[in-house]
Amino acid sequence: MGHHLSANGQSGEFQFGGHWKKEFPFDAEWLNLNHGSFGSIPNVVRDKLRHFQDEAEARPDKFIRYDFPKLLDESRAAIAELVRAPVETVVMVSNATEGVNTVLKNLVWNDDGKDVIFTFSTVYEACAKVADYLVDFYDGKTEHREIAIRYPLEDEAIVDAFRTAVKEVEAAGKRARVCIFDVVSSRPGVAFPYLDMIKACKELGVISMVDGAQGVGMVPLDLERADPDFFVSNCHKWLHVPRGCAVFYVPLRNQHLLPSTLATSHGYMPRLATRGSPLPPNGKGAFVANFEFVGTKDNGPYLCVKEAIAWRQNALGGEEKILSYLWDLNKKGIQHVAGVLGTEVLDNSKGTMTNCAMGNVALPIWIGEKGQGAKDGDVVVPVDDQETAFQWMSRTMVDDYKTFMSLFVLGNRYWIRISAQVYLDMKDYELAGTVLKDLSARVGKREYRKA
């Protein structure tokens, strides 16, 4: 494995691309085009995970009580440096959904029923359901409002839609309390103007809950400068850390708002009782101490953050090289696939929506009737068959083509999301185009009805 790295394919220099697949534990037949859903880890990080698991089994009490907290602090320090945040503001949780739950289930909601939680229509469904749960649990004490956005869209229009929604809520005598929004949305997989949204939230007095599930390892982060109220980002997606692991950032000013972890554990300080803890004292601040131990589980992934960051630096040449390659491959790759299919990619006039490592391509398959820009050879799936065809396409990619690309519906059309990664190159996008062309033709023959 060479160390003179190049993302741009200059002759004589090391390149990213298909030959990196052997550094990952992929099945030789599997083409991993959906890194954005569950991530993947290089063999060296997998070996480190197994090492920590073995250590925990060899001397459970020694490792869990005494070694683990120090190793966790090393990983926290490594990720804090990467996302440019003070180490005392950074803890680890299992995933982004847990981070969002931790915030929304700790916040105190007003009894007057005027608190409103905002999400956008492109919100990750699990996070929207956290807001739905609060509405149900408090039986109308809070309200969940969705801000409808329809892509393609300029970044300014998204922020304007938020401002308008806040004005409407306040005009109705209600209180704009929290807004959940992405760094990079899931479906469609597009960069979201999260920095401008954080500023707008500050200006309007709304708590910013940034769901950076797709974030660290794919876009550059400077959390101290961005200054969100709460921010969570999955390390197991783009940072090559084992599942599940997410960095949870809470600035000092807001840490008192989160008295409990999920689940509530030894770090909780009850107001009306004094209880000890069976764990050794650690002398850390209340926030960090609270999140250090949340019941017994395999915390090996948390300890691999330091290792994954080091591997990205030493083997891949560092974050800047990685991000440059991912963004470039994403933009070029989806254009190629769209060309093969005779369709289009999802982007706005400034190209900011594809400033990330995931891209979206329209399939030549419509629902109900053809829409604007349809070609003669495009396929139409009857409305009643929409879900059947959707599930058949998803399963058939796995079973027949040994790959998977995230499928979603936008307007009355099927779209596909493809994830760039250091182990992919244009040959993989060429294969993706071939697979999708063949799959679309099979949908045209109504094969999904025979399944």
Side-chain angles (χ1 to χ4, degrees), residues 205-233:
V206 179
I207 294 170
S208 53
M209 171 67 252
V210 184
D211 172 17
Q214 312 273 0
V216 66
M218 192 228 272
V219 295
L221 297 173
D222 186 338
L223 295 185
E224 204 162 26
R225 181 180 289 181
D227 198 30
D229 288 313
F230 301 98
F231 183 102
V232 65
S233 190

Side-chain angles (χ1 to χ4, degrees), residues 51-118:
H51 162 75
F52 287 130
Q53 291 168 333
D54 289 347
E55 289 283 296
E57 297 309 323
R59 301 182 182 190
D61 283 283
K62 176 183 184 296
F63 186 81
I64 294 168
R65 291 176 188 272
Y66 300 104
D67 298 344
F68 166 73
K70 291 176 191 167
L71 292 164
L72 180 64
D73 285 346
E74 289 175 15
S75 269
R76 286 179 47 243
I79 192 76
E81 185 181 353
L82 183 66
V83 301
R84 303 192 177 190
V87 71
E88 65 271 18
T89 64
V90 167
V91 292
M92 312 310 295
V93 292
S94 294
N95 52 60
T97 309
E98 184 180 333
V100 174
N101 270 269
T102 304
V103 172
L104 267 70
K105 290 177 182 174
N106 268 291
L107 290 178
V108 178
W109 304 95
N110 290 294
D111 289 323
D112 58 13
K114 293 180 179 179
D115 288 344
V116 177
I117 304 165
F118 291 101

Side-chain angles (χ1 to χ4, degrees), residues 7 14-21 23-24 35 40 42 217 238 240 311-312 316 318 321-323 325-326 329 357 419-425 428:
F14 198 87
Q15 297 174 43
F16 296 130
H19 56 279
W20 279 90
K21 290 187 183 106
E23 304 292 337
F24 288 75
H35 189 101
S40 57
W238 296 93
H240 299 117
W311 179 78
R312 287 163 68 85
L316 300 184
K321 275 201 168 90
I322 297 167
L323 269 54
Y325 181 77
L326 297 187
L329 180 62
S419 298
Q421 201 28 265
V422 294
Y423 51 72
L424 300 174
D425 52 40
D428 299 300

Side-chain angles (χ1 to χ4, degrees), residues 88 91 252 255-256 258-261 266-269 282-293:
E88 65 271 18
V91 292
L252 293 173
Q255 290 180 1
H256 70 284
L258 306 184
S260 177
T261 53
H266 292 300
Y268 182 67
M269 308 291 283
N282 63 21
K284 293 168 192 170
F287 174 69
V288 171
N290 202 3
F291 282 84
E292 186 168 273
F293 185 91

